Amino acid sequence: MFQICCKLFVWCGVSGLVVALVPAYNEEHYVASVLVRLREYVDRVIVCDDGSVDLTGEIAEAMGAVVVRHGRNMDDVYIYRSTILLCGGGA
C-alpha cells in the first residue's frame, strides 16, 4: 500500500529555498517515484528515513535527496524536528 507522502513544505528563509520534508518508513517501492514528482515543485527534498529496515534511505540518497536517518521508528515530532533543523528552522 502506498503510504509515503509529503507532509510539509517549508520555505527556508536563510537560503530562500522551498524544501519538501518527507517522512518515510519502509517505502523502498515508492520513494523514487515520489521524489521524481516532488522535484517539479521544490528546490530540495529532505527524507527522514524513520527506522526503515529496507533500502528506503539508500534509494532516496541515490535520487539526490538529503536523508536524515533515525535508528528506530519515531514520533512525527522527532521527524519534523530533525528535518527542519537542516533548513535552519531552529529547534
Side-chain angles (χ1 to χ4, degrees), residues 24-26 49-52 70-76 78-79:
Y25 177 69
N26 292 336
D49 180 2
D50 194 32
S52 297
H70 290 166
R72 62 183 174 86
N73 190 254
M74 301 179 80
D75 173 295
D76 281 352
Y78 294 103
I79 293 169

Side-chain angles (χ1 to χ4, degrees), residues 58-76:
E58 290 80 359
I59 293 168
E61 280 181 334
M63 297 291 300
V66 175
V67 177
V68 175
R69 286 189 170 84
H70 290 166
R72 62 183 174 86
N73 190 254
M74 301 179 80
D75 173 295
D76 281 352

Side-chain angles (χ1 to χ4, degrees), residues 25-41:
Y25 177 69
N26 292 336
E27 296 290 353
E28 68 181 9
H29 298 291
Y30 305 105
V31 68
S33 63
V34 169
L35 296 180
V36 166
R37 285 182 272 163
L38 279 174
R39 290 281 181 204
E40 297 177 36
Y41 305 102

Side-chain angles (χ1 to χ4, degrees), residues 12 15 34 37 40 43 46-47 55 58 64 72-73 82 85-86:
C12 293
S15 62
V34 169
R37 285 182 272 163
E40 297 177 36
D43 299 304
I46 301 174
V47 173
L55 297 174
E58 290 80 359
R72 62 183 174 86
N73 190 254
S82 59
L85 287 173
L86 288 176

